[in-house]
Amino acid sequence: MFIVFKFAYQLWHTMDKTEVAAEVANNSITADDYKTITGEDYVAPTSESTSATATASETASN
């Protein structure tokens, strides 16, 4: 799948960095693959931002 994502990002411009990063999170490609495709290091989302979103959602529903 690496080559498809590489073409989609670099040649076809049908994927952006966020979508390529999502494929790392889905274990479709590695962090090294991400760097090869985008030229930037992959930075995994922190659990802190996920917790803040969950807390905001819980507060809004109450």
Side-chain angles (χ1 to χ4, degrees):
M1 291 305 293
F2 165 77
I3 196 74
V4 173
F5 297 135
K6 183 176 180 180
F7 283 0
Y9 179 79
Q10 294 179 350
L11 298 175
W12 305 325
H13 306 287
T14 55
M15 291 181 81
D16 62 20
K17 289 179 188 173
T18 304
E19 293 168 318
V20 177
E23 296 304 331
V24 177
N26 290 335
N27 294 317
S28 298
I29 58 173
T30 66
D32 287 338
D33 291 339
Y34 177 89
K35 185 171 185 169
T36 301
I37 293 169
T38 65
E40 298 178 8
D41 289 330
Y42 173 74
V43 179
T46 61
S47 60
E48 206 171 283
S49 62
T50 305
S51 297
T53 303
T55 303
S57 297
E58 291 168 5
T59 303
S61 66
N62 291 333

Short mmCIF file of all heavy atoms in Angstrom, two decimals:
data_model
loop_
_atom_site.label_atom_id
_atom_site.label_comp_id
_atom_site.label_asym_id
_atom_site.label_seq_id
_atom_site.Cartn_x
_atom_site.Cartn_y
_atom_site.Cartn_z
N MET A 1 0.82 -1.20 0.00
CA MET A 1 0.00 0.00 0.00
C MET A 1 0.86 1.26 0.00
O MET A 1 0.38 2.32 -0.38
CB MET A 1 -0.93 0.01 1.20
CG MET A 1 -2.05 -1.04 1.16
SD MET A 1 -3.08 -1.00 -0.29
CE MET A 1 -3.90 0.55 -0.11
N PHE A 2 2.10 1.14 0.44
CA PHE A 2 2.99 2.30 0.50
C PHE A 2 3.02 3.06 -0.82
O PHE A 2 2.86 4.28 -0.85
CB PHE A 2 4.41 1.84 0.89
CG PHE A 2 5.46 2.87 0.65
CD1 PHE A 2 5.62 3.94 1.51
CD2 PHE A 2 6.31 2.79 -0.45
CE1 PHE A 2 6.59 4.90 1.29
CE2 PHE A 2 7.28 3.74 -0.67
CZ PHE A 2 7.42 4.80 0.19
N ILE A 3 3.20 2.35 -1.91
CA ILE A 3 3.35 3.01 -3.21
C ILE A 3 2.07 3.75 -3.60
O ILE A 3 2.11 4.84 -4.19
CB ILE A 3 3.82 2.02 -4.30
CG1 ILE A 3 4.35 2.78 -5.52
CG2 ILE A 3 2.73 1.08 -4.71
CD1 ILE A 3 5.68 3.41 -5.28
N VAL A 4 0.92 3.19 -3.26
CA VAL A 4 -0.35 3.85 -3.58
C VAL A 4 -0.47 5.16 -2.80
O VAL A 4 -0.83 6.20 -3.37
CB VAL A 4 -1.55 2.93 -3.26
CG1 VAL A 4 -2.87 3.67 -3.41
CG2 VAL A 4 -1.51 1.70 -4.13
N PHE A 5 -0.13 5.13 -1.52
CA PHE A 5 -0.20 6.35 -0.71
C PHE A 5 0.83 7.37 -1.18
O PHE A 5 0.57 8.58 -1.18
CB PHE A 5 -0.01 6.04 0.77
CG PHE A 5 -1.10 5.16 1.34
CD1 PHE A 5 -0.78 4.09 2.15
CD2 PHE A 5 -2.43 5.39 1.05
CE1 PHE A 5 -1.77 3.26 2.67
CE2 PHE A 5 -3.44 4.58 1.56
CZ PHE A 5 -3.10 3.52 2.37
N LYS A 6 2.01 6.89 -1.58
CA LYS A 6 3.04 7.79 -2.08
C LYS A 6 2.55 8.50 -3.35
O LYS A 6 2.68 9.72 -3.48
CB LYS A 6 4.33 7.02 -2.36
CG LYS A 6 5.47 7.89 -2.81
CD LYS A 6 6.75 7.10 -2.99
CE LYS A 6 7.87 8.00 -3.45
NZ LYS A 6 9.13 7.29 -3.63
N PHE A 7 2.00 7.76 -4.27
CA PHE A 7 1.47 8.35 -5.50
C PHE A 7 0.31 9.30 -5.18
O PHE A 7 0.22 10.39 -5.75
CB PHE A 7 1.01 7.28 -6.48
CG PHE A 7 2.12 6.58 -7.22
CD1 PHE A 7 3.45 6.89 -7.02
CD2 PHE A 7 1.82 5.59 -8.12
CE1 PHE A 7 4.46 6.24 -7.72
CE2 PHE A 7 2.81 4.92 -8.83
CZ PHE A 7 4.14 5.25 -8.62
N ALA A 8 -0.58 8.87 -4.29
CA ALA A 8 -1.75 9.69 -3.95
C ALA A 8 -1.32 11.03 -3.36
O ALA A 8 -1.93 12.06 -3.65
CB ALA A 8 -2.65 8.95 -2.98
N TYR A 9 -0.27 11.04 -2.55
CA TYR A 9 0.19 12.28 -1.92
C TYR A 9 1.05 13.11 -2.87
O TYR A 9 0.82 14.30 -3.04
CB TYR A 9 0.97 11.96 -0.64
CG TYR A 9 1.49 13.19 0.06
CD1 TYR A 9 0.65 13.97 0.85
CD2 TYR A 9 2.81 13.60 -0.08
CE1 TYR A 9 1.10 15.11 1.48
CE2 TYR A 9 3.28 14.75 0.54
CZ TYR A 9 2.43 15.49 1.33
OH TYR A 9 2.88 16.62 1.94
N GLN A 10 2.05 12.46 -3.48
CA GLN A 10 3.04 13.20 -4.25
C GLN A 10 2.63 13.50 -5.69
O GLN A 10 2.93 14.59 -6.20
CB GLN A 10 4.38 12.45 -4.27
CG GLN A 10 5.02 12.35 -2.91
CD GLN A 10 6.32 11.58 -2.93
OE1 GLN A 10 6.68 10.95 -3.93
NE2 GLN A 10 7.04 11.61 -1.82
N LEU A 11 1.97 12.59 -6.34
CA LEU A 11 1.68 12.75 -7.76
C LEU A 11 0.24 13.18 -8.03
O LEU A 11 -0.02 14.11 -8.80
CB LEU A 11 1.96 11.46 -8.52
CG LEU A 11 3.42 10.97 -8.49
CD1 LEU A 11 3.54 9.62 -9.16
CD2 LEU A 11 4.33 11.98 -9.15
N TRP A 12 -0.69 12.48 -7.43
CA TRP A 12 -2.10 12.72 -7.72
C TRP A 12 -2.70 13.82 -6.85
O TRP A 12 -3.76 14.36 -7.16
CB TRP A 12 -2.91 11.44 -7.55
CG TRP A 12 -2.41 10.29 -8.36
CD1 TRP A 12 -1.86 10.33 -9.61
CD2 TRP A 12 -2.44 8.91 -7.99
NE1 TRP A 12 -1.52 9.06 -10.02
CE2 TRP A 12 -1.87 8.16 -9.05
CE3 TRP A 12 -2.87 8.22 -6.87
CZ2 TRP A 12 -1.73 6.79 -9.03
CZ3 TRP A 12 -2.74 6.85 -6.83
CH2 TRP A 12 -2.18 6.14 -7.91
N HIS A 13 -2.05 14.12 -5.71
CA HIS A 13 -2.54 15.14 -4.76
C HIS A 13 -3.96 14.86 -4.29
O HIS A 13 -4.77 15.77 -4.13
CB HIS A 13 -2.43 16.53 -5.38
CG HIS A 13 -1.06 16.85 -5.87
ND1 HIS A 13 -0.02 17.12 -5.01
CD2 HIS A 13 -0.54 16.90 -7.12
CE1 HIS A 13 1.08 17.33 -5.71
NE2 HIS A 13 0.79 17.20 -7.01
N THR A 14 -4.24 13.57 -4.08
CA THR A 14 -5.56 13.18 -3.59
C THR A 14 -5.55 12.88 -2.09
O THR A 14 -6.59 12.55 -1.52
CB THR A 14 -6.09 11.95 -4.35
OG1 THR A 14 -5.14 10.90 -4.27
CG2 THR A 14 -6.34 12.30 -5.81
N MET A 15 -4.37 12.97 -1.46
CA MET A 15 -4.24 12.79 -0.01
C MET A 15 -3.43 13.96 0.53
O MET A 15 -2.53 14.46 -0.14
CB MET A 15 -3.50 11.49 0.34
CG MET A 15 -4.24 10.21 0.05
SD MET A 15 -3.30 8.75 0.54
CE MET A 15 -3.64 8.70 2.29
N ASP A 16 -3.77 14.37 1.76
CA ASP A 16 -2.95 15.37 2.43
C ASP A 16 -2.21 14.70 3.59
O ASP A 16 -2.36 13.50 3.83
CB ASP A 16 -3.79 16.55 2.90
CG ASP A 16 -4.87 16.19 3.91
OD1 ASP A 16 -4.76 15.13 4.56
OD2 ASP A 16 -5.81 16.97 4.07
N LYS A 17 -1.39 15.47 4.31
CA LYS A 17 -0.57 14.91 5.39
C LYS A 17 -1.42 14.27 6.48
O LYS A 17 -1.05 13.26 7.05
CB LYS A 17 0.32 15.98 5.99
CG LYS A 17 1.44 16.40 5.08
CD LYS A 17 2.26 17.49 5.72
CE LYS A 17 3.25 18.02 4.70
NZ LYS A 17 3.96 19.19 5.20
N THR A 18 -2.56 14.85 6.75
CA THR A 18 -3.45 14.31 7.78
C THR A 18 -3.93 12.92 7.40
O THR A 18 -3.97 12.02 8.24
CB THR A 18 -4.65 15.24 8.00
OG1 THR A 18 -4.18 16.55 8.31
CG2 THR A 18 -5.55 14.74 9.11
N GLU A 19 -4.27 12.75 6.14
CA GLU A 19 -4.75 11.45 5.66
C GLU A 19 -3.62 10.41 5.64
O GLU A 19 -3.84 9.25 5.97
CB GLU A 19 -5.38 11.60 4.28
CG GLU A 19 -6.66 12.41 4.32
CD GLU A 19 -7.16 12.82 2.96
OE1 GLU A 19 -6.33 13.23 2.10
OE2 GLU A 19 -8.38 12.73 2.74
N VAL A 20 -2.41 10.85 5.28
CA VAL A 20 -1.27 9.93 5.30
C VAL A 20 -0.98 9.53 6.74
O VAL A 20 -0.73 8.36 7.05
CB VAL A 20 -0.03 10.55 4.62
CG1 VAL A 20 1.16 9.60 4.71
CG2 VAL A 20 -0.31 10.89 3.16
N ALA A 21 -1.03 10.49 7.66
CA ALA A 21 -0.82 10.20 9.08
C ALA A 21 -1.86 9.22 9.61
O ALA A 21 -1.55 8.35 10.43
CB ALA A 21 -0.85 11.49 9.90
N ALA A 22 -3.08 9.33 9.13
CA ALA A 22 -4.14 8.41 9.56
C ALA A 22 -3.80 6.97 9.14
O ALA A 22 -4.14 6.02 9.86
CB ALA A 22 -5.48 8.82 8.97
N GLU A 23 -3.12 6.82 8.02
CA GLU A 23 -2.73 5.47 7.57
C GLU A 23 -1.64 4.89 8.47
O GLU A 23 -1.56 3.67 8.64
CB GLU A 23 -2.29 5.50 6.11
CG GLU A 23 -3.40 5.89 5.15
CD GLU A 23 -4.64 5.01 5.26
OE1 GLU A 23 -4.53 3.83 5.62
OE2 GLU A 23 -5.73 5.53 4.97
N VAL A 24 -0.81 5.75 9.05
CA VAL A 24 0.17 5.27 10.04
C VAL A 24 -0.58 4.79 11.27
O VAL A 24 -0.29 3.71 11.81
CB VAL A 24 1.19 6.37 10.42
CG1 VAL A 24 2.15 5.87 11.50
CG2 VAL A 24 1.97 6.84 9.20
N ALA A 25 -1.54 5.57 11.73
CA ALA A 25 -2.34 5.20 12.90
C ALA A 25 -3.11 3.90 12.67
O ALA A 25 -3.33 3.12 13.60
CB ALA A 25 -3.31 6.33 13.25
N ASN A 26 -3.50 3.64 11.41
CA ASN A 26 -4.21 2.41 11.06
C ASN A 26 -3.27 1.24 10.77
O ASN A 26 -3.73 0.17 10.37
CB ASN A 26 -5.09 2.64 9.82
CG ASN A 26 -6.26 3.53 10.10
OD1 ASN A 26 -6.72 3.64 11.23
ND2 ASN A 26 -6.74 4.21 9.08
N ASN A 27 -1.97 1.48 10.94
CA ASN A 27 -0.93 0.47 10.67
C ASN A 27 -0.89 0.02 9.22
O ASN A 27 -0.47 -1.09 8.92
CB ASN A 27 -1.09 -0.74 11.60
CG ASN A 27 -0.83 -0.38 13.04
OD1 ASN A 27 0.10 0.35 13.36
ND2 ASN A 27 -1.67 -0.87 13.93
N SER A 28 -1.31 0.89 8.31
CA SER A 28 -1.21 0.58 6.88
C SER A 28 0.19 0.85 6.37
O SER A 28 0.65 0.20 5.44
CB SER A 28 -2.20 1.43 6.09
OG SER A 28 -3.52 1.13 6.49
N ILE A 29 0.85 1.86 6.95
CA ILE A 29 2.23 2.19 6.63
C ILE A 29 2.96 2.49 7.93
O ILE A 29 2.33 2.72 8.96
CB ILE A 29 2.35 3.40 5.67
CG1 ILE A 29 1.68 4.64 6.25
CG2 ILE A 29 1.78 3.06 4.29
CD1 ILE A 29 1.89 5.91 5.44
N THR A 30 4.29 2.53 7.87
CA THR A 30 5.10 2.82 9.06
C THR A 30 5.40 4.30 9.16
O THR A 30 5.19 5.06 8.21
CB THR A 30 6.43 2.05 9.01
OG1 THR A 30 7.21 2.57 7.92
CG2 THR A 30 6.22 0.56 8.84
N ALA A 31 5.93 4.71 10.30
CA ALA A 31 6.35 6.10 10.49
C ALA A 31 7.47 6.45 9.51
O ALA A 31 7.54 7.57 9.01
CB ALA A 31 6.78 6.33 11.93
N ASP A 32 8.34 5.49 9.21
CA ASP A 32 9.40 5.71 8.22
C ASP A 32 8.80 5.92 6.83
O ASP A 32 9.28 6.76 6.06
CB ASP A 32 10.39 4.54 8.20
CG ASP A 32 11.30 4.51 9.42
OD1 ASP A 32 11.47 5.56 10.07
OD2 ASP A 32 11.83 3.44 9.70
N ASP A 33 7.75 5.17 6.51
CA ASP A 33 7.06 5.36 5.23
C ASP A 33 6.47 6.77 5.17
O ASP A 33 6.54 7.43 4.13
CB ASP A 33 5.94 4.33 5.05
CG ASP A 33 6.44 2.92 4.84
OD1 ASP A 33 7.61 2.75 4.44
OD2 ASP A 33 5.65 1.98 5.08
N TYR A 34 5.87 7.22 6.27
CA TYR A 34 5.30 8.57 6.33
C TYR A 34 6.37 9.60 6.00
O TYR A 34 6.14 10.52 5.22
CB TYR A 34 4.70 8.84 7.71
CG TYR A 34 4.16 10.24 7.88
CD1 TYR A 34 2.85 10.54 7.54
CD2 TYR A 34 4.96 11.27 8.37
CE1 TYR A 34 2.34 11.83 7.68
CE2 TYR A 34 4.47 12.56 8.51
CZ TYR A 34 3.16 12.83 8.17
OH TYR A 34 2.67 14.11 8.30
N LYS A 35 7.56 9.43 6.60
CA LYS A 35 8.64 10.38 6.36
C LYS A 35 9.09 10.34 4.90
O LYS A 35 9.35 11.38 4.29
CB LYS A 35 9.83 10.11 7.28
CG LYS A 35 10.93 11.14 7.13
CD LYS A 35 11.99 11.01 8.17
CE LYS A 35 12.98 12.16 8.00
NZ LYS A 35 13.89 12.24 9.13
N THR A 36 9.15 9.16 4.32
CA THR A 36 9.51 9.03 2.91
C THR A 36 8.49 9.72 2.02
O THR A 36 8.85 10.39 1.05
CB THR A 36 9.63 7.54 2.52
OG1 THR A 36 10.63 6.93 3.34
CG2 THR A 36 10.00 7.38 1.06
N ILE A 37 7.24 9.58 2.34
CA ILE A 37 6.16 10.16 1.53
C ILE A 37 6.10 11.67 1.67
O ILE A 37 6.03 12.40 0.68
CB ILE A 37 4.80 9.52 1.90
CG1 ILE A 37 4.79 8.05 1.50
CG2 ILE A 37 3.65 10.27 1.23
CD1 ILE A 37 3.61 7.26 2.05
N THR A 38 6.11 12.17 2.92
CA THR A 38 5.88 13.59 3.16
C THR A 38 7.14 14.42 3.33
O THR A 38 7.11 15.63 3.21
CB THR A 38 5.01 13.80 4.41
OG1 THR A 38 5.74 13.35 5.56
CG2 THR A 38 3.68 13.08 4.30
N GLY A 39 8.24 13.75 3.67
CA GLY A 39 9.48 14.48 3.94
C GLY A 39 9.56 15.01 5.36
O GLY A 39 10.49 15.73 5.71
N GLU A 40 8.58 14.68 6.19
CA GLU A 40 8.55 15.13 7.58
C GLU A 40 8.42 13.94 8.51
O GLU A 40 7.88 12.90 8.14
CB GLU A 40 7.36 16.06 7.81
CG GLU A 40 7.41 17.32 6.98
CD GLU A 40 6.20 18.21 7.20
OE1 GLU A 40 5.38 17.92 8.11
OE2 GLU A 40 6.06 19.18 6.46
N ASP A 41 8.92 14.09 9.74
CA ASP A 41 8.78 13.04 10.73
C ASP A 41 7.33 12.89 11.14
O ASP A 41 6.59 13.87 11.23
CB ASP A 41 9.61 13.34 11.98
CG ASP A 41 11.11 13.23 11.74
OD1 ASP A 41 11.50 12.42 10.88
OD2 ASP A 41 11.87 13.95 12.40
N TYR A 42 6.92 11.65 11.40
CA TYR A 42 5.57 11.37 11.89
C TYR A 42 5.53 11.67 13.37
O TYR A 42 6.37 11.25 14.14
CB TYR A 42 5.20 9.91 11.64
CG TYR A 42 3.87 9.53 12.27
CD1 TYR A 42 2.68 9.96 11.72
CD2 TYR A 42 3.82 8.74 13.41
CE1 TYR A 42 1.46 9.63 12.29
CE2 TYR A 42 2.61 8.39 13.99
CZ TYR A 42 1.44 8.84 13.42
OH TYR A 42 0.24 8.50 13.99
N VAL A 43 4.53 12.43 13.78
CA VAL A 43 4.31 12.72 15.19
C VAL A 43 2.96 12.15 15.57
O VAL A 43 1.93 12.57 15.05
CB VAL A 43 4.34 14.24 15.46
CG1 VAL A 43 4.08 14.54 16.93
CG2 VAL A 43 5.66 14.84 15.00
N ALA A 44 3.00 11.16 16.44
CA ALA A 44 1.75 10.51 16.86
C ALA A 44 0.91 11.47 17.69
O ALA A 44 1.45 12.28 18.45
CB ALA A 44 2.07 9.26 17.69
N PRO A 45 -0.41 11.42 17.51
CA PRO A 45 -1.28 12.27 18.33
C PRO A 45 -1.13 11.91 19.80
O PRO A 45 -0.97 10.74 20.14
CB PRO A 45 -2.68 11.95 17.84
CG PRO A 45 -2.55 10.99 16.73
CD PRO A 45 -1.13 10.58 16.60
N THR A 46 -1.17 12.91 20.65
CA THR A 46 -1.04 12.65 22.08
C THR A 46 -2.39 12.29 22.67
O THR A 46 -3.43 12.71 22.17
CB THR A 46 -0.49 13.89 22.82
OG1 THR A 46 -1.41 14.96 22.63
CG2 THR A 46 0.87 14.30 22.28
N SER A 47 -2.37 11.52 23.73
CA SER A 47 -3.62 11.14 24.39
C SER A 47 -4.22 12.34 25.10
O SER A 47 -5.41 12.37 25.38
CB SER A 47 -3.39 10.00 25.37
OG SER A 47 -2.45 10.38 26.35
N GLU A 48 -3.40 13.35 25.38
CA GLU A 48 -3.87 14.55 26.05
C GLU A 48 -4.92 15.28 25.21
O GLU A 48 -5.95 15.70 25.71
CB GLU A 48 -2.68 15.48 26.30
CG GLU A 48 -2.86 16.41 27.46
CD GLU A 48 -1.58 17.14 27.77
OE1 GLU A 48 -0.69 16.53 28.37
OE2 GLU A 48 -1.48 18.32 27.40
N SER A 49 -4.68 15.41 23.90
CA SER A 49 -5.65 16.09 23.05
C SER A 49 -6.93 15.27 22.92
O SER A 49 -8.02 15.80 22.83
CB SER A 49 -5.05 16.38 21.67
OG SER A 49 -4.72 15.19 21.02
N THR A 50 -6.80 13.95 22.92
CA THR A 50 -7.97 13.08 22.85
C THR A 50 -8.79 13.21 24.13
O THR A 50 -10.01 13.30 24.08
CB THR A 50 -7.53 11.60 22.67
OG1 THR A 50 -6.72 11.53 21.52
CG2 THR A 50 -8.72 10.69 22.51
N SER A 51 -8.12 13.28 25.27
CA SER A 51 -8.83 13.43 26.54
C SER A 51 -9.55 14.76 26.61
O SER A 51 -10.66 14.84 27.11
CB SER A 51 -7.83 13.32 27.70
OG SER A 51 -7.25 12.05 27.71
N ALA A 52 -8.92 15.82 26.13
CA ALA A 52 -9.55 17.14 26.16
C ALA A 52 -10.81 17.15 25.30
O ALA A 52 -11.82 17.73 25.69
CB ALA A 52 -8.57 18.20 25.67
N THR A 53 -10.77 16.50 24.16
CA THR A 53 -11.93 16.42 23.29
C THR A 53 -13.05 15.65 23.96
O THR A 53 -14.21 16.05 23.93
CB THR A 53 -11.56 15.77 21.94
OG1 THR A 53 -10.51 16.51 21.36
CG2 THR A 53 -12.75 15.73 21.01
N ALA A 54 -12.71 14.53 24.58
CA ALA A 54 -13.71 13.72 25.26
C ALA A 54 -14.35 14.49 26.41
O ALA A 54 -15.56 14.46 26.59
CB ALA A 54 -13.09 12.42 25.78
N THR A 55 -13.53 15.22 27.16
CA THR A 55 -14.05 16.00 28.28
C THR A 55 -14.98 17.09 27.79
O THR A 55 -16.04 17.33 28.35
CB THR A 55 -12.88 16.62 29.09
OG1 THR A 55 -12.02 15.57 29.51
CG2 THR A 55 -13.39 17.37 30.29
N ALA A 56 -14.62 17.76 26.70
CA ALA A 56 -15.47 18.81 26.15
C ALA A 56 -16.79 18.23 25.67
O ALA A 56 -17.85 18.84 25.87
CB ALA A 56 -14.75 19.51 25.00
N SER A 57 -16.76 17.06 25.06
CA SER A 57 -17.98 16.42 24.60
C SER A 57 -18.88 16.03 25.76
O SER A 57 -20.10 16.21 25.71
CB SER A 57 -17.65 15.17 23.79
OG SER A 57 -16.94 15.50 22.64
N GLU A 58 -18.28 15.51 26.81
CA GLU A 58 -19.06 15.12 27.98
C GLU A 58 -19.71 16.33 28.63
O GLU A 58 -20.86 16.30 29.05
CB GLU A 58 -18.16 14.38 28.99
CG GLU A 58 -17.72 13.01 28.51
CD GLU A 58 -16.62 12.42 29.38
OE1 GLU A 58 -16.26 13.03 30.41
OE2 GLU A 58 -16.13 11.34 29.02
N THR A 59 -18.96 17.44 28.71
CA THR A 59 -19.47 18.66 29.32
C THR A 59 -20.64 19.21 28.50
O THR A 59 -21.64 19.64 29.05
CB THR A 59 -18.35 19.72 29.43
OG1 THR A 59 -17.28 19.15 30.19
CG2 THR A 59 -18.85 20.96 30.12
N ALA A 60 -20.49 19.18 27.18
CA ALA A 60 -21.53 19.71 26.31
C ALA A 60 -22.82 18.90 26.39
O ALA A 60 -23.91 19.43 26.27
CB ALA A 60 -21.04 19.74 24.86
N SER A 61 -22.69 17.59 26.61
CA SER A 61 -23.87 16.75 26.65
C SER A 61 -24.60 16.82 27.99
O SER A 61 -25.74 16.42 28.11
CB SER A 61 -23.52 15.30 26.32
OG SER A 61 -22.69 14.76 27.32
N ASN A 62 -23.93 17.36 29.00
CA ASN A 62 -24.55 17.46 30.33
C ASN A 62 -25.28 18.71 30.43
O ASN A 62 -25.93 19.41 30.56
CB ASN A 62 -23.51 17.39 31.46
CG ASN A 62 -22.91 16.02 31.55
OD1 ASN A 62 -23.53 15.04 31.19
ND2 ASN A 62 -21.69 15.94 32.04
#
